[in-house]
Amino acid sequence: VTMLLLLLVSMAKIVYSLQSVKEAAILARRIVKDAGVGTFLTKMQEPGILEEGYPFGIMEYYSSDCTDHLQQPGDLLLYMSDLQMSVRNMHHDLDHVAFTIRALNVYDNPKLGNGSSLVESPRLTLFGNI
């Protein structure tokens, strides 16, 4: 596990040196606009189950075109129901949720060195509150 973590850190330094923060933000917004689906991440909060306290992630659909981009850029509208485990978990801790999105399209960006495989596809995680 330590070796994998070090490898990820090393790779992050390489990509970061090839791409500016502004370029990364532009690509991230494009991925968010294009994808429409991601993984909503919460912490299991159901009392009495063995998995309580573990991370929980499930695919969710969203829209990024429904907010005023001048006032709240980057907000997502999630299509969810109170019947879902992720929503029940979220109600216990509204300030600690995350949403991971991976590119569904191939973005020809030499600075990323990405190709058409899933491993090379850009991805991002948004941290925030509900």
Side-chain angles (χ1 to χ4, degrees):
V1 175
T2 305
M3 288 178 55
L4 179 60
L5 179 60
L6 292 175
L7 177 61
L8 292 175
V9 170
S10 298
M11 293 296 288
K13 289 179 183 177
I14 293 169
V15 171
Y16 181 74
S17 67
L18 298 175
Q19 184 181 50
S20 72
V21 172
K22 183 177 179 179
E23 290 168 327
I26 290 169
L27 180 61
R29 289 185 186 282
R30 186 170 170 198
I31 293 167
V32 167
K33 184 175 186 245
D34 292 347
V37 65
T39 303
F40 185 61
L41 304 162
T42 60
K43 186 170 79 171
M44 291 292 287
Q45 300 286 345
E46 291 287 315
I49 62 171
L50 294 175
E51 293 83 8
E52 185 176 2
Y54 282 88
F56 180 77
I58 191 164
M59 184 190 80
E60 298 290 351
Y61 295 98
Y62 68 87
S63 174
S64 63
D65 294 332
C66 59
T67 60
D68 181 350
H69 294 287
L70 298 175
Q71 292 180 11
Q72 297 294 329
D75 285 354
L76 303 178
L77 174 65
L78 302 173
Y79 305 116
M80 300 168 70
S81 161
D82 282 335
L83 299 174
Q84 295 171 273
M85 177 68 73
S86 55
V87 173
R88 294 195 309 261
N89 292 337
M90 175 194 71
H91 285 301
H92 290 280
D93 192 355
L94 297 172
D95 292 324
H96 295 97
V97 296
F99 200 82
T100 299
I101 303 170
R102 71 173 178 86
L104 300 178
N105 300 331
V106 175
Y107 298 100
D108 186 20
N109 189 338
K111 283 193 171 189
L112 291 177
N114 65 317
S116 59
S117 77
L118 292 176
V119 173
E120 298 171 300
S121 296
R123 53 199 168 275
L124 60 117
T125 299
L126 306 170
F127 296 93
N129 56 17
I130 302 292

